[in-house]
Amino acid sequence: MSGFTLLEAIVALTIVGLTLVPVMSFLVNATQQISVAADSNQRAAAQRTALAYIETMNPLTEPVGKADLSEKVSLRWVSTALAEPNSQARLGARLGAYRIGFFLVTVTVLRESVEWFSFEVRKIGYQPLASPMMPGTSP
C-alpha cells in the first residue's frame, strides 16, 4: 500500500506550520523595518530641502512665513531675535550701513497639512539702512 496515512499527513502539516510561524514573523518584522527606514529617508530629504530653503531666507525681512516644498510637504517658520538689530549706522564698522541681528528660527515641516517634525536654526538677519553715510562720501 502506497501513500500517506492520516497520522503522517498530520505530522507533515504540523512541521510545515511550525516552520511557517518564524518565517511569517520575519516577514512582518522586515516589512515594519522597511517602513521605518522609508519614513526616515523621507524625513531626512525633507529636512535637507527645508534647510536649503531657510538658508536663502532673511529673518529680519521675513520673520514669519510659510512655503510649499512639494504637493504634500510644506514648511513654516517663526523667527525670534536673540540679539536685537541695530537701529542706526555704525560709522567705521565694516557693515555699518546695515541693520544686523541674530535670530533663532523655529522651522516646522508639515506633511499633508499635519505637523511632521520641527527643528531650530540660528541665522543672521540683515537689511540696508535707509540712507547710509559712508565715510569719504558727501550727501
Side-chain angles (χ1 to χ4, degrees), residues 9-26:
I10 291 173
V11 169
L13 287 174
T14 303
I15 291 171
V16 168
L18 289 174
T19 306
L20 285 179
V21 169
V23 169
M24 293 305 291
S25 176
F26 171 77

Side-chain angles (χ1 to χ4, degrees), residues 92-127:
R94 288 185 168 203
L95 297 173
Y98 286 88
R99 289 184 66 210
I100 298 175
F102 194 51
F103 294 86
L104 177 66
V105 181
T106 303
V107 181
T108 304
V109 179
L110 302 113
R111 180 168 57 178
E112 297 178 353
S113 301
V114 176
E115 185 174 327
W116 189 11
F117 63 92
S118 61
F119 59 93
E120 295 180 337
V121 179
R122 294 174 188 251
K123 287 190 59 74
I124 294 175
Y126 59 91
Q127 183 178 35

Side-chain angles (χ1 to χ4, degrees), residues 49-133:
T49 304
L51 279 169
Y53 187 91
I54 292 297
E55 184 66 28
T56 65
M57 185 270 303
N58 184 347
L60 188 58
T61 59
E62 299 176 80
V64 176
K66 184 174 181 178
D68 292 329
L69 300 179
S70 69
E71 290 180 9
K72 295 182 179 183
V73 179
S74 61
L75 64 96
R76 60 179 183 231
W77 65 88
V78 177
S79 303
T80 307
L82 296 175
E84 290 296 326
N86 56 309
S87 58
Q88 59 186 6
R90 295 180 181 158
L91 297 176
R94 288 185 168 203
L95 297 173
Y98 286 88
R99 289 184 66 210
I100 298 175
F102 194 51
F103 294 86
L104 177 66
V105 181
T106 303
V107 181
T108 304
V109 179
L110 302 113
R111 180 168 57 178
E112 297 178 353
S113 301
V114 176
E115 185 174 327
W116 189 11
F117 63 92
S118 61
F119 59 93
E120 295 180 337
V121 179
R122 294 174 188 251
K123 287 190 59 74
I124 294 175
Y126 59 91
Q127 183 178 35
L129 290 168
S131 59
M133 286 296 294

